[in-house]
Amino acid sequence: MPKVSIKGQQMPESPIRKLVPFSEAAKDKGLKVYHLNIGQPDIKTPERALNSVKDNIPEILEYSHSAGFESYREKLANYYQQHGIQVDKADIIITTGGSEALLFAMGSTMDSGDEIIIPEPFYANYNGFSVASGVNVVPVISTIEDGFALPPIADFEKLITPKTKAILICNPGNPTGYLYTEEEILQLAELVKEHDLFLIADEVYREFTYDGDEHYSVMNVSGIEEHAIMIDSVSKRYSMCGARVGCIVSKNKAVMSAAMKFAQARLSPPTLAQIASEAALDTPKEYFDEVIKEYKDRRDTLIKGLKDIEGVKVAVPKGAFYCIAKLPVDDADKFAQWLLESFELNGETIMVAPAAGFYSSPNVGTTEIRIAYVLKKEDLIQSIAILKEAIKQYNDKK
């Protein structure tokens, strides 16, 4: 019998989606399941984005340019310029989601066996992208005790080898919600300059910051133009996860030339979704003001509720819409499955993402979960009540 490739065997399961069969089974039993496991916002997509597709359906659904519509790239460059990021359309390639942008970034900067340093916990699919690219992840651990702040630069320097090609960060962070400070970004900038590395920043949650804190982009840093690569997406910004439109941005011409060859190999990003994404750029500021206020209220509700549960430890997220919570359980994977298989509270239960899958280091994060606060406040309050009772019952049965 033919065998699956080693790469195929090594591709990790999604910690976000691997419990879906258990969730479906719970629903088949008649339970209501609150989905805290996935970053799918319930915020409405801007009407202008949806209407643009309705109003501009072409007679022929053609390929676009491999780099994406020129009009979209021009408009996107203008959007970035309004945020202090001085790029033009030549510095942007539109991709099929931020995921493809990350694959293009890895493929354009690293060869098989090269290493990329990533602060963990990190977006679980970074593991998958690295396996697909033949790249080895070298983790540097941030801790819940420090609020998942950037680890000391000395910790990065200890991990740099001749195989190290890049440092990858997510800012604000998925799954932690941590927002890197300007000082932390500048520290990383000095590090990549000193060691001649790339600094890849996944900035898809840029708009979602709280408490007066502001996002500071790697593209804002003078002097690292040849090192900096930004990853972006419309998925979270405009609640358009299904559009699958993102981009890779860099002023490094060699990197963008290489990325273009990857873009040409997959032909083009989705046409209709680009129409919607271009129109979404006209979304008024009031939309974001309301969305950020809503997410902040949800964050505050969730964090207060979690802190009221005995034994739960949580770091307050400064951005995005996730948090990591450390639970007083023996194994978060087993607990998450038990929630769906064996527990209910008045016909309801919750689905969470075990956090071990957001680490590359073995046996780390085994009692942690990621929670996405993408549900309305009433559902979050009910979810917290379910979690509190579930922890009690789970530990009582031991």
Side-chain angles (χ1 to χ4, degrees), residues 283-356:
T283 302
K285 180 178 179 296
E286 291 74 26
Y287 172 88
F288 294 107
D289 292 341
E290 292 175 10
V291 171
I292 291 167
K293 181 179 183 299
E294 177 65 23
Y295 279 137
K296 182 182 183 301
D297 288 346
R298 293 179 183 187
R299 180 203 66 170
D300 294 345
T301 298
L302 175 67
I303 298 302
K304 180 181 183 302
L306 290 173
K307 287 184 173 181
D308 287 341
I309 301 176
E310 184 178 356
V312 171
K313 181 180 293 185
V314 62
V316 179
K318 299 180 178 181
F321 38 68
Y322 307 100
C323 76
I324 291 284
K326 188 171 185 177
L327 306 182
V329 298
D330 60 343
D331 187 299
D333 271 277
K334 292 178 182 176
F335 177 67
Q337 184 172 330
W338 175 84
L339 281 168
L340 297 168
E341 278 193 311
S342 306
F343 175 80
E344 65 171 272
L345 182 64
N346 300 321
E348 299 179 335
T349 190
I350 58 175
M351 186 176 182
V352 298

Side-chain angles (χ1 to χ4, degrees), residues 20-288:
V20 166
F22 300 102
S23 171
E24 292 173 340
K27 292 174 185 177
D28 288 342
K29 290 191 297 185
L31 296 183
K32 178 175 182 178
V33 178
Y34 292 98
H35 285 272
L36 305 175
N37 62 303
I38 191 165
Q40 171 58 65
D42 64 354
I43 303 296
K44 287 185 178 180
T45 303
E47 284 189 18
R48 67 187 62 224
L50 300 176
N51 289 337
S52 69
V53 177
K54 296 177 188 176
D55 298 339
N56 295 282
I57 295 178
E59 291 184 4
I60 301 173
L61 200 55
E62 298 177 335
Y63 292 122
S64 77
H65 189 290
S66 292
F69 293 153
E70 182 177 10
S71 59
Y72 179 32
R73 287 181 286 124
E74 285 181 344
K75 201 168 178 179
L76 194 54
N78 182 63
Y79 161 81
Y80 289 132
Q81 290 164 16
Q82 292 172 7
H83 288 76
I85 297 172
Q86 300 306 313
V87 295
D88 59 40
K89 65 182 180 183
D91 303 320
I92 302 170
I93 294 176
I94 306 303
T95 58
T96 308
S99 299
E100 187 177 70
L102 281 158
L103 285 167
F104 285 3
M106 289 186 179
S108 300
T109 61
M110 285 168 267
D111 294 309
S112 182
D114 283 341
E115 297 172 350
I116 184 168
I117 299 175
I118 314 178
E120 61 178 356
F122 51 71
Y123 177 47
N125 281 337
Y126 293 167
N127 278 322
F129 301 148
S130 298
V131 170
S133 303
V135 172
N136 297 320
V137 170
V138 178
V140 54
I141 298 178
S142 61
T143 66
I144 195 168
E145 288 77 16
D146 291 332
F148 298 109
L150 187 75
I153 291 298
D155 290 357
F156 285 87
E157 289 187 308
K158 286 186 291 188
L159 299 173
I160 294 172
T161 74
K163 284 286 188 181
T164 306
K165 293 298 172 68
I167 294 171
L168 169 59
I169 61 171
C170 186
N171 185 33
N174 174 7
T176 65
Y178 185 76
L179 178 69
Y180 290 110
T181 65
E182 179 179 349
E183 181 183 356
E184 288 171 326
I185 296 297
L186 292 176
Q187 288 175 351
L188 288 173
E190 288 302 314
L191 182 66
V192 298
K193 279 198 296 185
E194 180 182 350
H195 294 277
D196 201 21
L197 306 175
F198 290 103
L199 178 56
I200 305 171
D202 182 346
E203 300 185 358
V204 304
Y205 299 96
R206 175 189 298 105
E207 272 73 17
F208 307 121
T209 64
Y210 315 113
D211 307 322
D213 292 321
E214 294 185 2
H215 178 264
Y216 190 76
S217 172
V218 296
M219 301 298 291
N220 291 129
V221 184
S222 177
I224 62 165
E225 289 80 6
E226 298 301 310
H227 303 261
I229 300 172
M230 181 177 74
I231 306 300
D232 205 358
S233 168
V234 304
S235 291
K236 314 302 180 178
R237 178 175 302 129
Y238 303 112
S239 194
M240 290 172 58
C241 296
R244 308 314 306 137
V245 170
C247 63
I248 177 172
V249 183
S250 180
K251 299 189 79 65
N252 184 312
K253 301 302 182 186
V255 167
M256 296 305 284
S257 177
M260 176 57 80
K261 289 184 279 187
F262 284 96
Q264 291 169 342
R266 62 82 165 103
L267 304 182
S268 73
T271 298
L272 291 180
Q274 286 186 82
I275 293 173
S277 300
E278 183 173 335
L281 287 168
D282 293 324
T283 302
K285 180 178 179 296
E286 291 74 26
Y287 172 88
F288 294 107

